[in-house]
Amino acid sequence: MDINLLIDQLIAFAVNEKLLPARDRAWAVNQLLDILHLSDYTPSGFSGKTPPYPCEILKNICDWAAQQGFISPDTVTMRDLFDTKLMGVFARQPSAVTDEFFALYKKSPKAATDKFYHDARALDYIRTERVAKNLAWKARTPYGSLDITINMSKPEKDPKDIAAALTVKASSYPPCLLCKENEGYAGRVNHPARQNLRLVPLDLLKDGKPWYLQYSPYVYYNEHCIFLSDRHEPMKLTRKSFERLLNFVDFLPHYFIGSNADLPIVGGSILTHDHFQGGRYVFAMEKAPVEQTFKLKKFPRVKAGIVKWPMSVIRLNGSKKDLIEAGEYILKKWRTYSDPKADILAKTGDTPHNTVTPIARRRGKAFELDIVLRNNRTTEEFPMGIFHPHAEVHHIKKENIGLIEVMGLAVLPARLAKELKALEAPLIKKDLAAIWKDESLSKHAPWAEELLKKYAFTARNTAEILRTEVGKVFARVLEYAGVYKRTPEGKAAFERFIKKL
Ligand SMILES: [Zn+2]
């Protein structure tokens, strides 16, 4: 392997993707030589076309570095640390990135995010080719086409990394993966390298305490971004949250933004650092129509309605100012609202149960706010939560239903890809016993039994039927998470709360 050629390919890639001005070439070569422990370099003369992402070039450089003993143990984690350091050479200083963002913003908000997103991918902060391994499909349900994703892109931990992590000194820096101190951090075996991460500060409330915009390294949908607090402080929904959400879609009208709920079970996976998630993607929920309108006495200009969705969603449409007020008003009312007939109790002792998952977007010139009512109470019968997927659907999904799922995108565990494939043969042979006997498949047996009553499986239709049926199970998962069921009793209970408003 000719390391000189690989260096030249990486430099050509950076120049072609406008990460590196051509006049900085010699400087960049020297930075790479340092990381590669080389003191010698002979230009290869390479000046060809380069791929849209650096994955292949980086893989070849890592192969070379592993042979030299610079990557040890030779695991995905160690390679990630090494190639991120290489790409960090092409990440400009944060202040320069921010200045460019605002210069482009003057042209258009889209121009600013286009460049910021392009660079996050070109710098391999978003590992586009790894994300492409995710399985994704759309499944038609009564609520529209839901997005189903099986996450194949998070590499499994190598035992060698787990062993290596034991020898690393315990560290609480940066405090978490969402802290802005990750920007430029070299990482360690138990914390990802972030030399290629850049954040743009946005002082949307004009209070001198900006929050930070960055992309998610996992991009579950187009331009999946994260907007995070400058401080490591827990998720907390307040009036300020609504101000931030609506100001965000005022500032970037082509993006939506939402917040996870601020209580366990109904919240996302990181409750310890206040943050939102947004992006440029239209979810099934956004397309779902309002099926019943109502008036808010206090806010006569706001259009309000209940959305046709498996979860319990109030949609508000109006001006930014009105929606901030109305959003805060509904949150406050909901926090203290109990309806024992509908199993909704605001508190157990001092422990609160009621919260919301709010999502803001633009609808033409108007602002729109979806408020999804949540309750995290558990009982002996439902120890994981009354309004959480029940045992019957755990074979597909048992994790928390956070913001992304709420909007209609299922993020399902990698094990499912293997299991769905393994289910095909016994389904075609109508061999239910084989499914029961198989340790990894038996949890799907009751589902398989139902499916066998409905379908005649063949080699041609089985994979497709399973994809459709997973979508239907996901719709049920969301129905479980809804505080008001889509039954006459549930609708009547929802109306009791609406009356309170
Ligand atoms: Zn943090």
Side-chain angles (χ1 to χ4, degrees), residues 174-182 231-233 272-273:
C176 83
L177 288 169
L178 292 179
C179 278
K180 69 179 197 296
E181 287 78 11
N182 281 284
R231 272 169 298 173
H232 182 72
E233 55 192 10
T272 52
H273 193 128

Side-chain angles (χ1 to χ4, degrees), residues 22-292:
R23 63 179 193 268
D24 290 345
R25 191 180 186 287
W27 167 85
V29 168
N30 287 335
Q31 306 308 305
L32 296 179
L33 292 181
D34 184 31
I35 298 166
L36 297 167
H37 306 273
L38 292 169
S39 52
D40 206 16
Y41 164 73
T42 316
S44 68
F46 176 86
S47 65
K49 271 198 176 156
T50 47
Y53 304 109
C55 169
E56 187 68 30
I57 305 169
L58 291 174
K59 184 197 165 286
N60 291 335
I61 296 180
C62 284
D63 286 347
W64 174 88
Q67 275 170 16
Q68 310 295 311
F70 301 148
I71 298 178
S72 173
D74 184 10
T75 60
V76 176
T77 304
M78 291 302 188
R79 281 174 172 245
D80 284 0
L81 290 170
F82 192 83
D83 67 15
T84 303
K85 190 172 187 181
L86 292 171
M87 292 314 290
V89 168
F90 308 109
R92 286 163 306 143
Q93 293 214 331
S95 53
V97 173
T98 298
D99 289 348
E100 181 190 56
F101 184 91
F102 284 103
L104 287 168
Y105 185 87
K106 281 186 194 150
K107 216 193 294 171
S108 78
K110 187 175 170 294
T113 53
D114 277 355
K115 171 69 171 153
F116 193 37
Y117 188 63
H118 168 272
D119 287 3
R121 301 218 288 180
L123 286 166
D124 215 32
Y125 161 69
I126 297 168
R127 292 175 182 267
T128 304
E129 300 193 29
R130 194 175 287 170
V131 172
K133 289 185 190 152
N134 287 346
L135 306 178
W137 66 89
K138 294 215 181 243
R140 286 175 72 119
T141 72
Y143 308 109
S145 283
L146 302 181
D147 288 297
I148 312 292
T149 305
I150 296 184
N151 182 8
M152 309 296 283
S153 63
K154 270 191 196 169
E156 278 176 42
K157 277 279 168 209
D158 191 304
K160 281 177 266 174
D161 292 326
I162 296 168
L166 293 174
T167 66
V168 186
K169 221 174 80 191
S171 169
S172 54
Y173 181 86
C176 83
L177 288 169
L178 292 179
C179 278
K180 69 179 197 296
E181 287 78 11
N182 281 284
E183 189 174 38
Y185 187 60
R188 43 179 205 265
V189 68
N190 53 5
H191 193 103
R194 292 287 186 245
Q195 287 104 327
N196 53 1
L197 165 66
R198 291 296 177 266
L199 296 88
V200 170
L202 302 178
D203 188 5
L204 295 182
L205 304 191
K206 303 202 168 50
D207 60 359
K209 292 179 199 148
W211 274 32
Y212 288 79
L213 177 69
Q214 65 165 68
Y215 287 101
S216 163
Y218 307 116
V219 282
Y220 287 128
Y221 50 84
N222 185 45
E223 299 183 38
H224 179 178
C225 68
I226 305 174
F227 191 46
L228 48 92
S229 169
D230 60 330
R231 272 169 298 173
H232 182 72
E233 55 192 10
M235 296 286 297
K236 191 161 176 45
L237 286 170
T238 62
R239 177 189 175 87
K240 275 216 153 88
S241 315
F242 291 106
E243 288 176 4
R244 270 198 195 92
L245 290 167
L246 287 150
N247 275 300
F248 186 94
V249 291
D250 192 8
F251 182 74
L252 297 177
H254 57 305
Y255 275 20
F256 78 89
I257 188 124
S259 172
N260 261 309
D262 54 359
L263 293 177
I265 298 177
V266 294
S269 52
I270 301 184
L271 279 170
T272 52
H273 193 128
D274 208 357
H275 70 283
F276 301 155
Q277 295 180 80
R280 191 150 75 94
Y281 189 72
V282 178
F283 287 89
M285 184 195 200
E286 178 173 343
K287 291 186 204 153
V290 166
E291 59 182 354
Q292 185 190 336

